[in-house]
Structures are given as C-alpha cells and as structure tokens.
Amino acid sequence: MPLDDLSVDPQARYRVLAAADIPALLAAWPTLARRLGGAPGDWQVRDVADGNLNSVFLVQGPQGRLCVKQSLPYVRVAKDDWPLSVERAYFESEYLRRVQPFVPGLVPEFLHFDADLRVIVMEALHPHIILRQALMAGRRPQGAAAAVADFAAATLFHTSDLSNPFERKFEDVARFSANHDLQRITVDLVFIDPFQEHPRNRYARPDLEGWARALREDGRILRAVAHWRQCYLNKPQALLHGDLHSGSVMVSEDDARVIDGEFAWVGPIGFDCGMFLANWLLAWFARVGLGESVEDPAGQPAWIQAQAELFWQRFRQQFLHHWQGWRGAGDAFPTGHFGAGSTDAGWAAVQQAYLDEVWADARGFVAIELIRRIIGFSQVADFGLIADTARCSRAQAGALALARDLLLHPAQYPDIQALGASLPRWAGASLAPAAADRAGAALV
C-alpha cells in the first residue's frame, strides 16, 4: 500500500489494542485463523512487550502460533510527553517485504499488515529468546553472529546500487525517507543528545560525570561525531535495518532471526555493521565488569570477542560472495565497464577498497553506539548485572575510553583483529578521562 493511502485518515480505525482484542482481530482474517487452528476461544494471548515503542502479543492456538505487533502513538515510558507517529508499522512491514526474499529463514515470516490498526502479524518464534538475554545469562548461542552477518551481507548488498539500477534504489530512498519520527529518534538519541547536556541522558551520576563532560566539551570528539552524523544522513548506500543490535535478534539452540525493522532507512552500509558490533563489545565490557577474566581463552569475554570478530569477517566474506556472483545490473559498477564475474586483479582491488571503506564507517559507528548506550537515553541491560555501582561505572568507563580512541585515533584500528586485540587495554578504565589513554586504561 502506498504511503499516501495511509495518510488519508490516519485515525480512521486506529485504537490501542489490548490482549482481549486479539482473538476477534485474528478471527477476521481466515488465513491467519487457520494457522492457529481451533476457535478464538481456544487461543491463548500473552502480552510480551518489553520495549518502548510497541505492543507485542504472542498467540498460541491448537495448531500454531502467531506474533501480533502494534505500533503505539507514544514512547511507552513517557506516553503523552513523547508522542510518536504510528506509521512505523508501515515501514517495518515494507522492510520485511523488501528483504525477506534475500534472507529466507533469517527473519520471521511476514504474514499480514493492517494499515488502519498499524498491526503486523508474523511468524511467532519459538523457543527463541532475545540474543542480549542469552548473552547476559552466560549462554553461547552458536551461529548467531554468523547468521546476522549473513543477514546483513544479503540485505545490504541486494538493496544497494551494486546490484540494482539507481531507479530501484531510489524507490527505497523515496519510501523510507518518509520514516521521519524514527529517524528523528536516531539522530537525537544516537548522534546529538549524548554529546550535550540533555535531560534524556541517563548515565551514572556522579561516577561518569567526568566522562560525559569530557565527551561533550572536546571539540575533536564533536567534529568526529558531526562527520559520522553527516555520513548517516548523506550516504544512501543501501536499505538499513537501522536498529541492528543484540536486542533485535532472537536465538534458539540452532536458529537466529533478525526482528524489529521499523527504523529502516537508506543509509551507509557500515551503520548496521557498527551498531551490531558495538553491542557485542558492550556485552564484553559487562562480563569483565562482573569480574570475569580477560585472559582466560575459555571464558565468556574471550568467546564474545571471538563472535564480534567472526561477525565482521563473515560479513565481509559473504558480501564479497554476493558481489562476485552477481550477474544483474548494478549502476555503481556496470558490467559493461568491469565485466560480470571479472577476475582482474584491479577489479578485486576495487572491491576490497569498497569494503575497507565500509569498515572505516562501521568503526566510527561502533564508537558512537558505545557512547550513546552508556551516556544517552537508551541504556543496555547488560551492565545491570553488575550489582556494585562502582564496578559497573568502571566497566562503562572502559567502553567510553575505547570509543573515544576510535574517534580520535581510527588508524590504530585498521581491521577487526586490531579492535579485538585492543579490548583488554581498556578493561577497568579510570573514571577520570584524562587518566585513560592509549597506553593503558587503569592509570589511577
């Protein structure tokens, strides 16, 4: 459905649904009712929402399960103080439609979108849990990092102008550039608020006050952040998930799926990669804050570091695989110039340089994400496991020290191996930013 059709009367049938409303809603759609089996009275509905933006219901019937997701007209924690357009359900449904052909089995199956109620119905994932929860529990979901790498490589390649004529890519630009409310959240909460005094910032006071002040008062940091903000806003390479982190991936023992594509936006490929990488690093710092050894090769920090490195290596490999095997028309590098499947060394160098640039972008966005998840509004739950507030602040200071170094000395991190190898240096960084430098973090 075109976006214009959604704008005719945005409140025509919209109402916030409760669990009791869901059986009658699904019963009106015979295909969905048949997936559940039985009668509406047989269906069990659970409200499982744990985020700020949506209602989420899991529905269990005699023959199957469904997930029903509705966008709310406000941010849940603020309600009337933070109104929000409900149109994000449209953008999530369009994102799922666009990428599902490229990543079957890596996203929930999209089943239905109700444009009036802003409801998406999709496959219910069972017995999956959120990846972040698994990592917090000390579990090691095998294949998760590789699956998300495969997802990112496929979706980002196949929606870029490496594989598409520019007309197709700019259809995505036209559609998803209207996702204003959620892009305003990204611009404000990721790129602006953490680098100024703002009432939405929720860092640990007074422990991290020195770090918050140092980041917002250092002109070098602000110039670097401005560069990455402009990169995000002005580099429309591919259709991004836009909110790819360990809270937007669900895992089981043998499966991983990416969810919550409502922040979809055409932007720099490195953004999705950097966001996801940063959340592995946040998990690493949280485990170290719990007192787990950075030197034990069999420990959870070592495993998390290995997964972060695997993600980038696998992404790069798979992105190249898609590119080298592509025989379609992409306007960025026309086959008439370079030849389909060319083995020319110069062409290989072009591809490597392209991905080196993606790494440079991802590295910058890693730094931004580390900072905003500690200083800004959207905190991660990982650090909540650390009961001792002083230890927690020290763990967070380590992540901030790394982020600052990534922004100020990016050349020191030419690849993922260099980033991974640097992590122990920043463990237990000083709460005094001037005492945490490249030579070592714990200098007090």
Side-chain angles (χ1 to χ4, degrees):
M1 175 178 293
L3 183 61
D4 289 347
D5 291 350
L6 294 178
S7 304
V8 175
D9 184 2
Q11 301 302 325
R13 284 180 54 231
Y14 181 83
R15 68 188 191 281
V16 175
L17 298 172
D21 300 317
I22 301 302
L25 181 73
L26 295 176
W29 299 317
T31 301
L32 300 179
R34 283 195 295 271
R35 286 182 72 113
L36 292 169
D42 301 322
W43 303 340
Q44 298 177 351
V45 182
R46 290 190 297 127
D47 185 342
V48 296
D50 62 355
N52 278 322
L53 303 182
N54 306 291
S55 293
V56 181
F57 304 96
L58 292 182
V59 187
Q60 173 71 61
Q63 297 178 15
R65 300 178 179 86
L66 293 173
C67 175
V68 179
K69 181 175 180 180
Q70 183 185 40
S71 53
L72 296 173
Y74 46 72
V75 175
R76 189 188 298 272
V77 296
K79 292 202 173 180
D80 293 341
D81 293 331
W82 196 339
L84 202 61
S85 167
V86 294
E87 304 303 346
R88 61 189 178 277
Y90 164 79
F91 294 109
E92 180 172 359
S93 69
E94 288 298 297
Y95 179 76
L96 280 170
R97 285 189 176 109
R98 181 76 171 99
V99 304
Q100 191 163 264
F102 312 128
V103 286
L106 293 176
V107 293
E109 182 186 0
F110 171 78
L111 299 172
H112 185 77
F113 173 59
D114 186 297
D116 292 321
L117 291 170
R118 278 52 165 196
V119 162
I120 300 171
V121 184
M122 66 191 87
E123 171 190 7
L125 301 176
H126 181 81
H128 298 60
I129 64 170
I130 297 295
L131 173 59
R132 190 186 307 281
Q133 296 172 355
L135 296 177
M136 290 172 62
R139 292 170 58 179
R140 299 183 178 186
Q142 300 302 317
V148 180
D150 291 349
F151 165 86
T155 59
L156 294 169
F157 175 79
H158 286 291
T159 60
S160 75
D161 49 20
L162 301 178
S163 63
N164 290 280
F166 79 86
E167 292 92 344
R168 182 64 188 91
K169 188 181 84 169
F170 277 88
E171 288 177 17
D172 289 335
V173 172
R175 176 172 289 109
F176 291 97
S177 63
N179 194 3
H180 294 164
D181 274 24
L182 294 200
Q183 295 316 309
R184 173 50 62 190
I185 287 177
T186 296
V187 170
D188 285 350
L189 299 191
V190 176
F191 292 103
I192 296 180
D193 290 0
F195 305 96
Q196 64 184 7
E197 292 190 73
H198 197 284
R200 282 196 294 246
N201 291 339
R202 301 198 295 175
Y203 57 88
R205 295 176 172 92
D207 286 357
L208 294 180
E209 189 63 61
W211 272 105
R213 185 184 307 110
L215 292 169
R216 67 175 179 257
E217 293 181 357
D218 189 332
R220 301 170 302 165
I221 296 291
L222 296 179
R223 288 189 293 273
V225 172
H227 170 81
W228 296 116
R229 185 167 57 245
Q230 290 180 74
C231 178
Y232 178 76
L233 292 171
N234 296 291
K235 196 172 186 178
Q237 287 182 308
L239 180 59
L240 308 179
H241 176 279
D243 195 31
L244 190 59
H245 55 79
S246 54
S248 54
V249 178
M250 297 192 72
V251 296
S252 66
E253 291 297 323
D254 57 359
D255 188 42
R257 309 285 188 96
V258 176
I259 62 172
D260 293 347
E262 61 207 340
F263 280 80
W265 167 263
V266 180
I269 290 171
F271 184 79
D272 273 357
C273 297
M275 294 290 106
F276 191 64
L277 271 174
N279 278 263
W280 282 100
L281 302 186
L282 289 164
W284 186 92
F285 281 103
R287 301 309 299 192
V288 173
L290 286 167
E292 298 181 13
S293 172
V294 301
E295 299 177 354
D296 180 2
Q300 191 75 352
W303 183 84
I304 290 172
Q305 177 184 334
Q307 297 306 298
E309 294 179 11
L310 182 153
F311 166 77
W312 173 256
Q313 293 162 346
R314 173 87 174 193
F315 167 81
R316 186 170 183 132
Q317 175 192 64
Q318 291 299 106
F319 194 95
L320 276 173
H321 174 75
H322 289 298
W323 197 352
Q324 290 167 350
W326 186 246
R327 299 295 183 269
D331 278 336
F333 296 97
T335 55
H337 292 188
F338 297 95
S342 173
T343 58
D344 177 70
W347 172 231
V350 168
Q351 293 177 312
Q352 294 296 335
Y354 187 97
L355 282 163
D356 287 346
E357 182 179 330
V358 173
W359 166 252
D361 291 351
R363 179 180 59 199
F365 292 125
V366 165
I368 301 293
E369 175 76 348
L370 291 175
I371 293 169
R372 77 99 169 193
R373 289 293 192 176
I374 294 170
I375 299 297
F377 175 78
S378 298
Q379 305 278 312
V380 292
D382 307 63
F383 292 106
L385 294 174
I386 308 171
D388 185 296
T389 56
R391 288 183 69 106
C392 182
S393 295
R394 287 290 291 266
Q396 292 178 318
L400 295 175
L402 169 59
R404 181 177 64 175
D405 207 57
L406 285 166
L407 292 174
L408 297 182
H409 305 289
Q412 300 296 325
Y413 304 90
D415 51 39
I416 188 63
Q417 290 85 356
L419 177 55
S422 78
L423 292 177
R425 179 189 308 146
W426 307 109
S430 171
L431 296 179
D437 65 9
R438 298 210 77 252
L443 300 181
V444 295

